[in-house]
């Protein structure tokens, strides 16, 4: 999983111009101000969807031209399609959805007046639930690696300049599976070339990368947490949300200027509610499941009530020796990386608590759990039935529709004994989740083995009600 030295040197050259001393480049320009009269949460949503905090990824023309380099049959179909059909096909291929207030505008990107598209936080955290766009839901369809590869080819054909993402992705994996990203290593790469005050140091050595993919957590859990990330190592704060803005163009002054924006983004995340189960519930069975949940699950995952004031959430970090889920994520972020965060602007230079050795993973809240599949921090387990019955977990699986599996609760999937052959379409292969791969293990969290099949079914019915 560690790229060659040549690849790492390419990454460094792509992201950082040569220099022998610290410097800060201030070239990203603000994109306007929100309308007057909005609440803090409404302003936060406006900032995420309307203001660019990064250089643009591509132009609308680049996206519109990607299909011309597809396989012949697909390209011919697009050639004969209407403009609207082309847009729908492109957005479906890359995991782009329309905004709830304006389906013609992408939720996952800020679109400038000149047609430039810039990635925002909704790229990973703006998905759909049963075909309906739901800001804050994990984006299970986001195909960042495929999108970047095909945008790069479209730009090369048209002799257009490449972006940082186009060039970095040659050496730096963005996500092996649709719906997951190499997010932790993005942060490692960006932070490695900063000092604690966020000045850029391009002359530092090469960081240690352990490439692995993660499943984006649902944002409706944000309000219950005091800490962030799968291992809970960082205290929740507006600054903690700003780490992925550490491109070379953003120096310390920009972070200081934009912190007020992210206080509103923080308020927006605090306002997000989970979707409610939209189908019938067997209430007597759910009532039995409630009692079983209280006996077997609530100690780690909390209690739930119609009145939120009566709910509890312990936010416990469960030692890896107890939970046993794939530990690559836990080990990939080193103590040195955590120490940098603890001393940096992001933690207010140590005023906020940083856990240097979490030792395990946080048991998350379970509100809206039916809509946050797949499960575990790496997205390796497709349904709640599989979570509670470890022996039934598939080795290789593929999502087959946007529909929720109403019995097992989670993704509708097909399972396989082996991956498609090596000559199979590389884009299509990314929709197959192989739990034998590095960082993608589906073992652990075997607590459901203590329950009978009927008891597991009752717990799942109760979980629909959260």
């Amino acid at each position: 999983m560690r790229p060659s030295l040549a690849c790492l040197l390419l990454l460094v050259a792509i992201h950082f111009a040569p220099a022998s001393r610290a410097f800060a480049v201030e070239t990203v320009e603000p994109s306007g101000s929100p309308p007057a009269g909005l609440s803090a949460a409404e302003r936060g949503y406006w900032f995420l969807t309307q203001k660019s905090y990064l250089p643009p990824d591509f132009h609308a023309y680049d996206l519109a031209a990607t299909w011309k380099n597809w396989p012949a049959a697909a390209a011919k179909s697009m050639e004969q399609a209407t403009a609207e059909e082309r847009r729908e096909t492109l957005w479906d291929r890359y995991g782009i959805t329309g905004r709830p207030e304006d389906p013609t505008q992408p939720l996952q990107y800020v679109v400038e007046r000149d047609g430039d598209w810039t990635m925002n936080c909704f790229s990973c955290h703006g998905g759909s639930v049963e075909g309906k766009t739901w800001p804050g839901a994990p984006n299970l369809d986001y195909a960042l690696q495929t999108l970047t590869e095909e945008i790069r080819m479209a730009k090369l054909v048209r002799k257009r300049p490449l972006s940082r993402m186009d060039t970095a992705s040659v050496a730096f994996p963005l996500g092996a599976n649709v719906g997951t990203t190499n997010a932790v290593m993005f942060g490692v790469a960006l932070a490695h070339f900063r000092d604690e005050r966020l000045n850029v140091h391009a002359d530092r050595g090469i960081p240690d990368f352990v490439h692995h993919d993660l499943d984006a957590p649902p944002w409706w859990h944000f309000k219950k947490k005091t800490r962030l990330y799968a291992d809970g190592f960082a205290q929740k704060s507006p600054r903690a949300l700003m780490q992925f803005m550490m491109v070379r163009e953003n120096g310390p002054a920009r972070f200081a200027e934009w912190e007020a924006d992210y206080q509103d983004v923080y308020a927006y995340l605090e306002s997000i509610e989970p979707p409610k189960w939209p189908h019938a519930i067997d209430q007597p069975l759910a009532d039995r499941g409630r009692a079983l949940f209280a006996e077997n699950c609530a100690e780690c995952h909390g209690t739930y009530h119609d009145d939120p004031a009566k709910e509890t959430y312990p936010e416990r970090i469960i030692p890896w020796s107890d939970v046993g889920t794939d530990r690559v994520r836990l080990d990939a972020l080193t103590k040195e990386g955590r120490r940098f965060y603890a001393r940096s602007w992001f933690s207010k230079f140590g005023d906020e608590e940083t856990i240097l050795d979490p030792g395990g993973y946080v048991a998350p809240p379970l509100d809206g759990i039916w809509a946050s599949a797949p499960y575990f921090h790496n997205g390796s387990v497709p349904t709640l039935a599989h979570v509670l019955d470890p022996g039934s977990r598939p080795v290789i699986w593929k999502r087959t529709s946007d529909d929720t599996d109403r019995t097992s609760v989670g993704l509708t999937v097909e399972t396989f004994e082996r991956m498609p052959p090596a000559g199979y379409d590389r884009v299509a292969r990314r929709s197959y989740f192989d739990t034998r791969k590095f960082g993608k293990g589906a073992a652990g969290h075997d607590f459901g083995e203590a329950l009978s099949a009927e008891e597991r079914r009752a717990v799942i019915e109760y979980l629909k009600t959260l």
Side-chain angles (χ1 to χ4, degrees):
M1 298 308 295
R2 300 173 189 272
S4 68
L5 178 61
C7 288
L8 292 175
L9 288 171
L10 173 62
L11 173 67
V12 173
I14 287 163
H15 277 281
F16 304 99
S20 59
R21 61 182 179 84
F23 68 95
V25 182
E26 310 279 355
T27 59
V28 176
E29 294 299 326
S31 307
S33 301
L38 299 182
S39 67
E42 290 168 336
R43 288 196 305 270
Y45 179 80
W46 188 95
F47 284 128
L48 289 175
T49 56
Q50 303 292 337
K51 184 170 179 176
S52 298
Y53 296 93
L54 300 168
D57 294 284
F58 52 83
H59 192 277
Y61 291 136
D62 302 320
L63 179 64
T66 55
W67 64 268
K68 296 180 181 180
N69 301 304
W70 291 358
K76 183 177 181 180
S77 176
M78 288 288 279
E79 188 174 23
Q80 297 170 348
T82 66
E84 178 63 21
E85 289 170 340
R86 287 180 186 175
R87 183 181 70 84
E88 290 180 0
T89 300
L90 288 168
W91 285 23
D92 286 346
R93 182 178 181 88
Y94 302 129
I96 300 170
T97 59
R99 300 173 191 170
E101 74 279 10
D102 184 357
T104 68
Q105 294 296 307
L107 178 63
Q108 294 79 13
Y109 287 83
V110 176
V111 181
E112 301 290 357
R113 292 180 180 178
D114 63 2
D116 279 335
W117 284 41
T118 303
M119 179 188 299
N120 65 28
C121 299
F122 285 121
S123 292
C124 295
H125 296 278
S128 60
V129 178
E130 294 201 334
K132 178 183 177 182
T133 298
W134 198 280
N139 188 357
L140 307 185
D141 299 309
Y142 195 40
L144 180 57
Q145 186 75 39
T146 298
L147 171 62
T148 305
E149 291 171 352
E150 296 185 349
I151 286 286
R152 181 174 60 233
M153 179 58 70
K155 289 180 179 178
L156 290 172
V157 168
R158 299 176 61 232
K159 299 181 180 179
R160 291 258 299 153
L162 300 181
S163 72
R164 71 198 185 285
M165 192 74 76
D166 300 327
T167 47
S169 63
V170 174
F172 198 102
L174 304 180
N177 281 102
V178 172
T180 64
T181 62
N182 189 18
V184 168
M185 291 302 105
F186 298 167
V188 168
L190 294 169
H192 181 78
F193 296 95
R194 299 274 176 156
D195 63 26
E196 286 79 2
R197 296 187 178 278
L198 304 189
N199 296 299
V200 176
H201 294 262
D203 55 345
R204 291 182 175 177
I206 297 168
D208 187 19
F209 292 120
V210 182
H211 294 306
H212 63 291
D213 294 337
L214 297 176
D215 178 45
W219 268 352
W220 53 76
H221 289 167
F222 187 82
K223 65 169 67 68
K224 283 193 170 182
K225 296 181 176 182
T226 64
R227 315 199 63 80
L228 298 179
Y229 310 116
D231 56 10
F233 90 96
Q235 186 171 324
K236 186 175 78 172
S237 71
R239 291 187 181 188
L241 304 175
M242 302 174 69
Q243 294 176 71
F244 292 100
M245 292 158 52
M246 284 190 288
V247 295
R248 180 181 52 133
E249 291 84 351
N250 292 337
R254 282 293 188 219
F255 280 86
E257 174 187 348
W258 289 338
E259 183 177 3
D261 295 359
Y262 270 76
Q263 290 171 350
D264 289 338
V265 171
Y266 185 102
Y268 169 67
L269 267 60
E270 292 263 300
S271 74
I272 296 174
E273 294 293 334
K276 294 183 178 181
W277 177 259
H279 309 295
I281 292 175
D282 182 336
Q283 196 56 54
L285 184 61
D287 290 341
R288 292 199 295 275
R290 177 191 294 272
L292 289 163
F293 182 90
E295 295 170 6
N296 295 275
C297 313
E299 180 181 356
C300 294
H301 291 288
T303 61
Y304 301 83
H305 196 278
D306 291 338
D307 181 358
K310 296 180 180 180
E311 296 188 346
T312 64
Y313 174 55
E315 201 170 11
R316 289 181 57 189
I317 296 177
I318 310 303
W320 181 83
S321 57
D322 293 336
V323 69
T325 50
D326 193 298
R327 69 171 294 142
V328 170
R329 162 63 182 83
L330 183 62
D331 297 332
L333 187 55
T334 64
K335 286 186 179 180
E336 290 74 18
R338 299 176 198 271
R339 286 193 186 99
F340 162 79
Y341 184 91
R343 297 190 300 263
S344 75
W345 181 88
F346 295 112
S347 70
K348 297 185 177 179
F349 306 106
D351 286 349
E352 295 178 352
E353 181 191 17
T354 302
I355 300 176
L356 300 181
D357 186 11
Y361 295 117
V362 177
L366 301 182
D367 310 79
I369 189 171
W370 71 272
S372 62
Y375 303 107
F376 296 178
H377 65 275
N378 59 3
S380 60
V381 179
T383 73
L384 290 177
H386 293 123
V387 170
L388 294 179
D389 184 9
S392 70
R393 294 173 191 167
V395 176
I396 301 171
W397 55 268
K398 175 185 177 183
R399 188 179 178 209
T400 57
S401 79
D402 291 337
D403 297 332
T404 301
D405 185 320
R406 300 187 191 183
T407 302
S408 296
V409 182
L411 306 184
T412 302
V413 299
E414 183 178 0
T415 62
F416 304 87
E417 294 184 358
R418 60 182 63 87
M419 287 288 291
Y424 194 72
D425 180 356
R426 61 177 174 75
V427 173
R429 279 178 66 91
R430 291 173 182 151
S431 63
Y432 290 78
F433 197 105
D434 186 349
T435 62
R436 300 168 301 178
K437 296 294 186 182
F438 183 79
K440 296 182 177 293
H445 195 282
D446 56 5
F447 309 114
E449 291 179 336
L451 303 174
S452 68
E454 179 60 25
E455 287 173 333
R456 290 194 290 267
R457 196 168 74 86
V459 170
I460 291 171
E461 197 70 14
Y462 169 64
L463 292 174
K464 295 177 183 178
T465 70
L466 302 186

